[in-house]
Amino acid sequence: GLSESWFANVFKQTTGKTPLQWQLSRRVGLAQNMLAESDLSVAAIAAQLGFSDQAHLTKTFRQVAGETPAAWRRMRRIG
C-alpha cells in the first residue's frame, strides 16, 4: 500500500542508494563472485545474471567497481 516515490525516498534515506543502484551493486557483487570462483566467460556471466549482453555488464561493472570485469578478474588471479 505504499507509493513508489515514498518507498524510493525512504529506501535511499536508509541505504544511501536508490533501489536501482542497490540492485545493480548486488548484481555486480554476484558477478564478482562468479568471476573469482569460475572460468565462465564474461558474456556467460552476463547472461546468467540477466544483463542484456556483455557490454551492459561491463558498463555497469565499471560504474560500480571502477574497472572492467576482465581487469578485475586478472587482478584477483595475479594477487
Side-chain angles (χ1 to χ4, degrees):
L2 308 174
S3 73
E4 286 183 40
S5 61
W6 183 88
F7 173 79
N9 191 22
V10 171
F11 190 94
K12 186 168 184 175
Q13 287 176 1
T14 303
T15 65
K17 297 179 179 182
T18 66
L20 178 59
Q21 290 169 333
W22 181 86
Q23 181 190 38
L24 290 175
S25 67
R26 292 271 305 169
R27 289 170 75 193
V28 168
L30 291 171
Q32 288 173 326
N33 289 340
M34 294 174 81
L35 288 164
E37 298 172 2
S38 74
D39 289 325
L40 290 171
S41 68
V42 175
I45 292 170
Q48 285 192 14
L49 294 178
F51 288 93
S52 57
D53 56 21
Q54 179 177 341
H56 183 208
L57 170 59
T58 299
K59 179 181 176 185
T60 303
F61 196 100
R62 186 189 313 253
Q63 289 172 341
V64 173
E67 56 191 334
T68 65
W72 189 91
R73 178 182 261 172
R74 276 193 303 276
M75 291 302 295
R76 297 317 173 274
R77 290 196 173 165
I78 293 171

